[in-house]
């Protein structure tokens, strides 16, 4: 009989470098493989499983909706879609929500909104989106063009035109590029996740926000990975005390099902008319029902606990043996090891820890509700492995 690995190798497109682990079940922050071995999940499906695997509240809501109304398309009204939009808007101050199925789709919506706004306000020549080097905004041709990493571009030329990337934390370069290229918008991640868990300087972010406001250039914050409680606030921009024009999000919003959301601020709340944009599956009742259980639990009290756990990670790894550098915010952490990263990842798997990488860093994105004793056990194990490889 063929193994799952053999079936995967034979029939699934070779777009992923999988770890040698076949997962079959899980609960909370504990996953189990085909051999019965247990792992502490320190990646949560790349920041997707906000409340862990098979969270009961999420699963009950999804199951109930699946037995009530599964799909209608956006030709009709449904309660989960509308109620989730209300929650997102009232919690953030944004005015409207467009639903897609992924972060890339949310970013595509933001780009379309920005270009339509700039065209109507300033003229058709205002279409460029300025992004940052080391950014990551998705894998469609357009969001790849927005991504400020050349190696993602090499095999897929020509990309969608109208994007330029500048160095992060350099306000002069950004201003110059925005003026020179007649920018419609600036799109940034406040913490560059795939780019290496790079946290933007607060002074830079505030200066950028002020510049965009002064020049009527839309500010888009990509919160696909940083949003939905990951950094200890509902959205990371709240840590910087700024109000962008558009927020894009996905991953942790769905809690395990595909959903993307583009939150539109006052300038662009009515930028779209029927037919300007759309999605067959966007706003799906089941996905929205699950997302509601995530958003409703991200209370100030809960988010304060996320911050405490984030501070524990920072204190544990900063200056520890085998650690060259630590970066992050809340439960989004990047640890640059002194040892060889691939070897460290193999050893962590062997010791029952599933983590992630980002460039030259070990990346941790555990469930937001990971029990403290489980988090401490994972941290202790990671510290031992890092020290052994120093």
């Amino acid at each position: 009989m063929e193994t799952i690995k053999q079936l995967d190798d034979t029939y699934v497109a070779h777009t992923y470098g999988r770890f040698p682990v076949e997962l079959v079940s899980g609960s909370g922050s504990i996953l189990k493989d085909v051999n019965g071995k247990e792992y502490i999940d320190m990646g949560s499906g790349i920041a997707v499983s906000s409340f862990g695997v098979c969270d009961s509240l999420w699963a009950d809501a999804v199951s109930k909706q699946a037995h009530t109304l599964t799909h209608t398309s956006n030709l009709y009204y449904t309660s989960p879609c509308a109620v989730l939009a209300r929650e997102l808007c009232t919690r953030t101050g944004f005015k409207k929500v467009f639903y897609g199925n992924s972060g890339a789709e949310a970013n595509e919506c933001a780009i379309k909104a920005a270009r339509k706004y700039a065209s109507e306000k300033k003229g058709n020549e205002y279409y460029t989106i300025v992004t940052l080097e080391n950014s990551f905004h998705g894998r469609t041709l357009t969001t790849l063009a927005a991504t400020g990493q050349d190696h993602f571009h090499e095999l897929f030329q020509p990309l969608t035109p109208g994007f330029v990337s500048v160095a992060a934390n350099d306000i002069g370069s950004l201003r110059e590029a925005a003026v020179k290229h007649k920018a419609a918008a600036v799109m940034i991640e406040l913490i560059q996740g795939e780019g290496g868990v790079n946290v933007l300087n607060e002074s830079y972010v505030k200066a950028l926000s002020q510049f965009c406001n002064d020049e009527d250039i839309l500010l888009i914050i990509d919160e696909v990975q940083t949003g939905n409680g990951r950094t200890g606030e509902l959205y990371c921009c709240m840590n910087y005390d700024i109000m962008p024009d558009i927020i894009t999000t996905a991953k942790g919003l769905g809690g395990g099902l595909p959903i993307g959301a583009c939150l539109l601020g006052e300038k662009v709340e009515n930028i779209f008319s029927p037919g300007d944009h759309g999605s067959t599956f966007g706003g799906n009742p089941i996905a929205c029902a699950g997302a509601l259980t995530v958003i409703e639990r991200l209370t100030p009290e809960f988010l304060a606990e996320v911050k405490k756990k984030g501070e524990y990670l920072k204190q544990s790894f900063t200056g520890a043996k085998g650690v060259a550098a630590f970066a992050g915010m809340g439960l989004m952490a990047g640890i640059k090891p002194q040892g060889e990263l691939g070897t460290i990842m193999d050893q962590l798997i062997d010791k029952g820890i599933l983590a992630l990488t980002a460039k030259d860093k070990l990346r941790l994105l555990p469930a937001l509700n990971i029990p403290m004793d489980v988090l401490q056990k994972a941290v202790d194990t990671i510290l031992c492995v890092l020290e052994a490889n120093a």
Side-chain angles (χ1 to χ4, degrees):
M1 181 181 291
E2 287 183 291
T3 66
I4 294 301
K5 183 181 184 302
Q6 289 170 330
L7 286 174
D8 192 287
D9 289 344
T10 302
Y11 298 109
V12 177
H14 298 160
T15 54
Y16 306 105
R18 302 195 199 278
F19 293 113
V21 179
E22 181 189 334
L23 298 171
V24 297
S25 63
S27 178
S29 290
I30 305 298
L31 298 172
K32 186 177 292 187
D33 72 10
V34 67
N35 299 312
K37 180 178 177 178
E38 292 188 343
Y39 302 83
I40 298 176
D41 181 12
M42 293 297 286
S44 63
I46 316 181
V48 167
S49 303
S50 299
F51 286 85
V53 178
C54 301
D55 170 68
S56 59
L57 283 176
W58 179 88
D60 288 347
V62 166
S63 178
K64 181 180 179 180
Q65 189 62 48
H67 285 87
T68 304
L69 184 66
T70 55
H71 177 73
T72 66
S73 85
N74 283 299
L75 296 175
Y76 311 99
Y77 298 98
T78 63
S79 174
C81 169
V83 174
L84 177 60
R86 180 191 66 189
E87 289 298 305
L88 289 169
C89 289
T90 56
R91 293 285 301 275
T92 62
F94 283 79
K95 303 299 183 181
K96 295 284 194 300
V97 178
F98 175 85
Y99 295 112
N101 311 288
S102 65
E105 287 177 80
N107 284 335
E108 291 265 1
C109 177
I111 291 163
K112 289 177 74 173
R115 286 184 169 171
K116 189 168 189 285
Y117 175 84
S119 176
E120 292 179 355
K121 290 274 290 189
K122 298 180 178 181
N124 292 336
E125 69 272 25
Y126 287 85
Y127 59 81
T128 297
I129 312 294
V130 180
T131 66
L132 300 182
E133 294 172 2
N134 283 318
S135 61
F136 184 86
H137 297 292
R139 294 186 182 275
T140 66
L141 282 178
T142 293
T143 55
L144 269 185
T147 293
Q149 299 187 58
D150 289 341
H151 73 275
F152 282 114
H153 302 166
E154 292 168 357
L155 301 177
F156 305 107
Q157 298 292 334
L159 298 176
T160 305
F163 295 89
V164 60
S165 297
V166 298
N169 296 314
D170 182 347
I171 192 64
S173 294
L174 186 135
R175 286 172 176 155
E176 182 180 348
V179 172
K180 176 182 178 181
H181 296 281
K182 298 183 177 179
V186 173
M187 181 162 69
I188 64 170
E189 304 157 280
L190 294 168
I191 305 175
Q192 296 176 328
E194 303 300 325
V197 193
N198 307 313
V199 182
L200 296 191
N201 295 338
E202 184 174 0
S203 59
Y204 169 75
V205 172
K206 287 185 178 296
L208 187 158
S209 177
Q210 186 63 55
F211 168 73
C212 288
N213 184 67
D214 292 344
E215 299 297 323
D216 196 18
I217 295 170
L218 296 185
L219 176 56
I220 304 167
I221 304 295
D222 179 337
E223 299 242 17
V224 172
Q225 193 166 136
T226 58
N228 311 298
R230 176 57 51 186
T231 65
E233 293 287 351
L234 185 60
Y235 290 100
C236 190
C237 60
M238 296 172 177
N239 290 302
Y240 289 82
D241 194 28
I242 62 168
M243 184 66 176
D245 299 294
I246 299 174
I247 283 178
T248 61
T249 192
K251 289 189 180 291
L253 176 62
L257 284 174
I259 187 171
C262 182
L263 280 60
L264 303 170
E266 187 173 352
K267 286 184 178 181
V268 289
E269 62 174 310
N270 296 313
I271 196 66
F272 292 126
S273 299
D276 285 346
H277 197 42
S279 169
T280 298
F281 291 102
N284 172 269
I286 298 175
C288 287
L292 266 170
T293 71
V294 173
I295 290 296
E296 289 173 348
R297 283 183 280 175
L298 298 179
T299 63
E301 294 77 17
F302 179 85
L303 293 171
E305 291 301 311
V306 173
K307 288 183 179 180
K308 287 182 181 178
K309 291 172 185 175
E311 188 60 30
Y312 167 72
L313 291 180
K314 182 179 180 180
Q315 292 179 358
S316 297
F317 290 108
T318 300
K321 293 182 179 178
V323 176
F326 175 89
M329 189 182 293
L331 288 176
M332 183 175 182
I335 302 152
K336 185 176 181 179
Q338 293 175 345
E340 202 277 318
L341 184 56
T343 300
I344 289 168
M345 291 297 292
D346 291 341
Q347 292 178 6
L348 287 176
I349 291 173
D350 184 62
K351 293 181 180 297
I353 303 293
L354 297 183
L356 305 164
T357 62
K359 297 289 188 180
D360 60 351
K361 294 190 180 86
L362 175 69
R363 180 171 39 155
L364 305 181
L365 298 166
L368 304 181
N369 66 337
I370 185 171
M372 196 63 198
D373 61 327
V374 176
L375 182 62
Q376 289 170 337
K377 181 178 179 181
V379 168
D380 289 344
T381 302
I382 295 169
L383 284 170
C384 286
V385 170
L386 290 171
E387 182 177 353
N389 285 273

